[in-house]
Amino acid sequence: MRRPDHALALPIAALLTGMVSLQGGAAIAKSLFPAIGAAGTASLRVGFSALVLLAVWRPWRRSLSTREAGWIALYGAALGAMNLLFYLSLTRLPIGPAVAVEFTGPLLLAVAGSRRPTDFAWIALAVLGLGLLLPLGGAGGLDPLGIALALAAGVAWALYILFGQRAGRADGGQAVAFGMLVAALVVAPVGVAEAGTVLFAPATLALGFAVALLSSALPYSLEMVALRRLDRTSFGVLMSLEPAVAALLAYALIGEALTPVQWLAIALVIAASAGITATGRPRTAPTSLPEPATRR
């Protein structure tokens, strides 16, 4: 039976609001870079996120086996690397293209081992979009090191999905909370080394806490609302809009304007992500996009 339109309105609104919150948090985070750097900002983001998640899930109430702890440690390390590398890429790239480039990690993971021509066609579309952003003399060319950092963040995102599948078998909330704690331990030394004592200024801590709430607690909650009411395909297709949402918010909040070629590149990545999600076969392996669990 087809769901009535009003039954779909709430989860779609929740998912879009979550994306706005997540990318708005990224824009606020970028405004902190001049004061404490990308690594300092990442350390505040994951540090406060860890505190929030530990308070919500209280993961210490259940003991972990050595195997579970190992997978959670790998999951957390990938999560920390993903956040740090993405924020480092933002020092050289606009937010929208950086998000689009980062999407290539989970996209490649989604079609790993596939031999279907349609999957290769979608990946070719994503590669074409990525090519438009490369510094090859075109109007959309961006900083090569920034692109490399965003691609590395995409690899970390793919590892985050793989390790998260294993870590989440213990207990989802426990894995997310302890995983974010591991991420904070990975990123914090780099952030403190870069920012120094400025990192602990009250105004800086307040903005860092706002970034953590906007980038973790609020979107995580809203995405869970959406996931419970939308099928996985619809959820994934809507999530594919995230690079465009990121670019629009970056323009509105911090004035990052993109060229028409850069917008075309983002559109191609969105089309590839939506296409892979919509046409993919049901599988037990990770999908192109992870279930909400504090991605960035």
Side-chain angles (χ1 to χ4, degrees):
M1 181 181 296
R2 183 177 179 272
R3 288 188 179 187
D5 291 340
H6 70 269
L8 294 175
L10 175 61
I12 290 174
L15 186 57
L16 292 176
T17 303
M19 280 189 274
V20 169
S21 176
L22 180 66
Q23 300 307 328
I28 294 173
K30 192 164 185 176
S31 71
L32 279 171
F33 288 2
I36 59 174
T41 305
S43 65
L44 288 182
R45 181 257 190 274
V46 296
F48 279 122
S49 296
L51 291 176
V52 171
L53 290 169
L54 289 169
V56 169
W57 293 106
R58 291 179 287 174
W60 53 83
R61 294 179 297 176
R62 177 186 176 276
S63 61
L64 289 171
S65 68
T66 302
R67 184 179 181 85
E68 290 171 339
W71 285 117
I72 289 174
L74 290 172
Y75 164 74
L79 180 58
M82 177 177 64
N83 278 274
L84 179 59
L85 290 165
F86 178 72
Y87 276 17
L88 288 173
S89 76
L90 294 187
T91 63
R92 296 173 175 271
L93 301 179
I95 294 176
V99 173
V101 173
E102 189 190 24
F103 259 55
T104 57
L107 287 180
L108 290 173
L109 179 62
V111 297
S114 173
R115 296 182 180 178
R116 296 194 307 155
T118 52
D119 286 340
F120 288 108
W122 293 124
I123 287 298
L125 197 63
V127 170
L128 176 60
L130 180 61
L132 293 176
L133 296 175
L134 294 174
L136 302 175
L142 295 171
D143 182 89
L145 179 56
I147 291 176
L149 288 166
L151 285 171
V155 172
W157 190 354
L159 292 174
Y160 155 84
I161 297 171
L162 290 173
F163 295 147
Q165 289 279 319
R166 297 278 190 170
R169 291 175 183 173
D171 178 88
Q174 186 181 42
V176 169
F178 277 142
M180 187 61 80
L181 177 60
V182 172
L185 294 174
V186 168
V187 177
V190 185
V192 172
E194 180 179 41
T197 57
V198 179
L199 191 66
F200 305 103
T204 302
L205 290 174
L207 284 173
F209 185 65
V211 169
L213 288 179
L214 288 171
S215 300
S216 295
L218 183 57
Y220 174 73
S221 301
L222 291 171
E223 287 175 7
M224 287 299 291
V225 169
L227 195 59
R228 289 192 181 102
R229 292 167 173 80
L230 291 173
D231 61 85
R232 185 177 291 268
T233 298
S234 299
F235 181 89
V237 169
L238 286 168
M239 283 291 292
S240 301
L241 296 173
E242 194 169 312
V245 173
L248 289 171
L249 279 174
Y251 176 72
L253 296 178
I254 57 177
E256 283 188 348
L258 303 182
T259 68
V261 172
Q262 290 168 351
W263 275 110
L264 175 60
I266 289 174
L268 292 174
V269 173
I270 288 173
S273 176
I276 287 173
T277 304
T279 63
R281 295 173 180 171
R283 64 187 76 182
T284 57
T287 55
S288 62
L289 294 169
E291 293 187 13
T294 59
R295 284 169 286 116
R296 272 180 266 101

